[in-house]
Amino acid sequence: MALLPILRYPDPRLHTRATPVQKVDDEIRRLIADMAETMYEAPGIGLAATQVNVHKRVVVIDVSEDKSALLALINPEIIARSGEQICEEGCLSVPGIYDKVTRSETVRVRALNAQGESFELDAEGLLAVCVQHELDHLDGKVFVEYLSQLKQTRIKGKLAKKSRITA
């Protein structure tokens, strides 16, 4: 396993739409393992392949307290959603920035697992938010794009200043 570099907003590669995985093989399983290691190290609760500059429809999520419930979603799609919730989100590609986003309260997702088997998952609460957030990444969208243009400009400025300080 290896730690992967995480792209930082507003890197234009974060806006690349991921392509479906054609075959779940050892390369995809290695990507999942590397993404999981990267997510846990960051630390975070979700990571999309787009965030590590791999433009395939692969996501890893673990919202458990003890990092014991790794979920890998290959070619995920939301097939049903209901309700609405507003929650504060952050993102490994937008470090140190948190803001409120409106999401569906529950979602049903269809995906492939690391063995290439199809399954469906009903998610609610934090898991539902995380699924929607990561699937947005696969479609080339970062959570800050739900915010006002003024907030987006401020965030870009804050991140640019932070990168100058650490460079």
Side-chain angles (χ1 to χ4, degrees):
M1 294 194 304
L3 290 177
L4 304 170
I6 298 172
L7 299 178
R8 302 284 188 225
Y9 179 80
D11 191 311
R13 294 172 291 180
L14 288 168
H15 298 294
T16 304
R17 189 171 175 82
T19 58
V21 171
Q22 299 303 317
K23 181 181 177 196
V24 179
D25 55 16
D26 287 342
E27 179 184 332
I28 293 299
R29 285 185 278 278
R30 188 169 31 263
L31 174 64
I32 289 168
D34 290 347
M35 287 174 57
E37 183 178 5
T38 302
M39 173 187 71
Y40 289 134
E41 180 70 24
I45 60 171
L47 187 68
T50 302
Q51 293 176 270
V52 293
N53 201 29
V54 176
H55 302 287
K56 295 181 179 176
R57 296 190 75 79
V58 177
V59 165
V60 293
I61 294 172
D62 189 342
V63 296
S64 68
E65 289 289 323
D66 62 356
K67 302 177 183 179
S68 65
L70 181 65
L71 181 62
L73 303 172
I74 302 167
N75 297 339
E77 59 180 323
I78 294 174
I79 56 174
R81 57 177 74 228
S82 65
E84 192 175 276
Q85 61 180 326
I86 299 172
C87 45
E88 190 167 78
E89 291 188 27
C91 181
L92 296 177
S93 291
V94 194
I97 304 296
Y98 301 89
D99 213 317
K100 291 183 175 22
V101 177
T102 301
R103 300 279 189 185
S104 297
E105 189 173 17
T106 63
V107 294
R108 171 169 278 187
V109 182
R110 181 182 298 133
L112 300 176
N113 65 17
Q115 289 69 47
E117 302 160 337
S118 181
F119 72 99
E120 290 185 6
L121 168 74
D122 290 315
E124 61 184 21
L126 180 60
L127 180 58
V129 169
C130 193
V131 165
Q132 293 169 84
H133 177 108
E134 300 309 331
L135 269 62
D136 274 354
H137 277 300
L138 298 181
D139 293 330
K141 188 167 186 176
V142 181
F143 90 97
V144 296
E145 292 164 28
Y146 285 100
L147 308 177
S148 71
Q149 199 61 50
L150 176 63
K151 281 188 176 183
Q152 289 180 48
T153 301
R154 286 182 177 164
I155 289 168
K156 286 177 186 174
K158 185 183 284 188
L159 293 175
K161 182 178 179 184
K162 191 184 294 185
S163 70
R164 283 192 302 273
I165 291 170
T166 59

